[in-house]
Amino acid sequence: MLCLLTLAVRALPTDDAGTARTAYRAMAVPGDAPVVPLSPTSLASGVALALGTRWGLFRFRRVAVKFWLTPAATAASVLALTARLHEAARAAERHPTGSVPAVEPGFLRYHLVIVPTVALLLHLADVVLSVFKPWGRRPERRPAR
């Protein structure tokens, strides 16, 4: 994600079509190779670890929050980002010369910055929850009498 964000931020303000084209074509590589298989793998391994350990899936608030943050990050990474990366790469190929109609409409350029930022922040929140372990155990439900 950080690599994608770096390339998107570099391409965002440029008026040089060559720089934008290179950045967008380069973004397609890490967008497909590691992001697509690793995002669902992260979700699956987290659920397996939660179910196979004493922490459980919903016994602790932090684990429950992480459970909901991970699918959000996966959706942002796989669904929202991958299609936009390919769209930007195709647009860059259609305009090999000239000044930045390399990616139009303009919102696509901002989208390529926003989605990796959101996904990176969600993954960072997961890491912070794992390291600092805030909150505590959820209260046990008592059976009705």
Side-chain angles (χ1 to χ4, degrees):
M1 278 304 142
L2 190 57
C3 176
L4 295 174
L5 182 59
T6 303
L7 288 167
V9 167
R10 175 62 185 110
L12 183 65
T14 188
D15 287 334
D16 180 28
T19 301
R21 183 174 51 256
T22 302
Y24 295 137
R25 286 191 345 214
M27 286 174 73
V29 174
D32 283 340
V35 170
V36 171
L38 289 181
S39 290
T41 303
S42 168
L43 177 62
S45 69
V47 170
L49 285 171
L51 294 175
T53 62
R54 65 183 174 94
W55 287 286
L57 196 54
F58 295 109
R59 286 188 199 139
F60 290 86
R61 285 186 182 98
R62 71 176 181 276
V63 178
V65 169
K66 285 175 53 175
F67 173 73
W68 293 112
L69 286 177
T70 303
T74 300
S77 301
V78 175
L79 301 176
L81 184 62
T82 306
R84 298 296 178 251
L85 289 175
H86 292 291
E87 185 179 335
R90 283 192 304 271
E93 292 299 321
R94 282 194 304 266
H95 301 283
T97 59
S99 68
V100 178
V103 173
E104 290 298 333
F107 180 71
L108 178 61
R109 298 174 84 177
Y110 292 101
H111 193 272
L112 290 174
V113 173
I114 293 168
V115 173
T117 301
V118 169
L120 191 60
L121 289 174
L122 291 171
H123 287 301
L124 185 62
D126 275 349
V127 170
V128 168
L129 289 172
S130 295
V131 171
F132 293 108
K133 296 176 179 51
W135 310 313
R137 191 177 182 114
R138 294 180 69 197
E140 295 284 330
R141 286 190 145 182
R142 295 188 182 137
R145 293 184 184 200

